[in-house]
Amino acid sequence: MKLESCPCCGEAMVSAFEECPVCGWCNDYANTAYPDARDLENNKMSLNEARAAWKKKRKKIA
């Protein structure tokens, strides 16, 4: 099982199709290949939308 940095938050190591324990993003390679695509198999928002939402959430926490 290959682990890589979460493509959404970058704060956890996840394998393919695993949900990130930090931000909840499912590491789906289709979303990574098409970061503006919505409603692909495992995620409701696009990767770019999720990244923006994560940044906004982190600012509120900090």
Side-chain angles (χ1 to χ4, degrees):
M1 171 178 8
K2 179 184 170 194
L3 292 176
E4 56 192 61
S5 179
C6 173
C8 181
C9 71
E11 295 187 23
M13 299 300 286
V14 292
S15 62
F17 301 102
E18 180 181 20
E19 189 172 294
C20 177
V22 177
C23 69
W25 180 258
C26 181
N27 188 23
D28 183 339
Y29 294 130
N31 284 109
T32 304
Y34 303 98
D36 289 316
R38 299 177 85 202
D39 293 325
L40 293 175
E41 292 289 321
N42 297 295
N43 297 295
K44 299 287 183 208
M45 61 177 72
S46 74
L47 178 54
N48 286 334
E49 290 170 331
R51 286 174 176 160
W54 179 250
K55 282 183 181 181
K56 188 175 182 179
K57 183 177 182 178
R58 293 296 289 163
K59 282 184 181 180
K60 286 183 180 179
I61 294 171

